[in-house]
């Protein structure tokens, strides 16, 4: 769904999944990624912060903390300078590139 830019459906399914298992760091991470694509940065930061509390390895902690720090910095800079954050889905042809074999 994410590759097809179907973020609303992905958000709905991930929200259902986190309601069933609120301690699943993998779902929280992916939910945060969807929120980023929808430019809902506060919600993304909350997901990553909650996922950080649940990770099981140093590698997972490094990965999720880099997502948290990266989006926090992007959000703060955009707020300070009054610019719109860029999402990968803003690029023309992204959807086709992700779904067309051999692209």
């Amino acid at each position: 769904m994410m590759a097809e830019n179907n973020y609303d459906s992905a958000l709905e399914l991930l929200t259902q999944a986190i309601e069933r298992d609120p301690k699943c760091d993998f779902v929280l991470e992916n939910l945060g990624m969807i929120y980023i694509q929808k430019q809902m940065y506060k919600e993304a930061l909350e997901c990553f912060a909650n996922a950080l509390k649940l990770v099981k390895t140093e590698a997972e902690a490094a990965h999720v903390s880099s997502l948290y720090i990266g989006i926090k910095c992007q959000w703060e800079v955009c707020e300070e300078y009054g610019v719109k954050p860029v999402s990968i889905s803003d690029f023309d042809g992204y959807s086709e590139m992700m779904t067309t074999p051999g692209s």
Side-chain angles (χ1 to χ4, degrees):
M1 282 182 207
M2 286 173 61
E4 298 169 359
N5 293 335
N6 194 347
Y7 302 124
D8 292 331
S9 294
L11 182 61
E12 184 179 327
L13 291 173
L14 289 167
T15 300
Q16 290 173 10
I18 206 63
E19 287 171 359
R20 289 180 182 217
D21 185 2
K23 294 187 178 186
C24 182
D25 58 305
F26 180 74
V27 172
L28 284 165
E29 177 187 338
N30 282 287
L31 192 53
M33 297 301 292
I34 295 295
Y35 283 133
I36 289 171
Q37 293 303 318
K38 293 180 67 65
Q39 298 182 352
M40 300 170 69
Y41 300 107
K42 181 180 177 186
E43 292 84 351
L45 287 171
E46 288 174 13
C47 287
F48 295 143
N50 289 332
L52 269 171
K53 297 174 190 172
L54 301 169
V55 295
K56 297 162 191 74
T57 67
E58 270 188 54
E60 290 173 345
H63 174 69
V64 175
S65 64
S66 69
L67 293 172
Y68 179 88
I69 292 167
I71 198 60
K72 188 172 193 304
C73 290
Q74 180 182 354
W75 188 25
E76 288 174 358
V77 167
C78 289
E79 293 253 317
E80 183 172 336
Y81 293 100
V83 295
K84 178 185 175 279
V86 176
S87 170
I88 197 159
S89 60
D90 291 337
F91 296 102
D92 288 335
Y94 173 75
S95 181
E96 293 79 22
M97 179 179 67
M98 294 302 295
T99 57
T100 305
S103 295

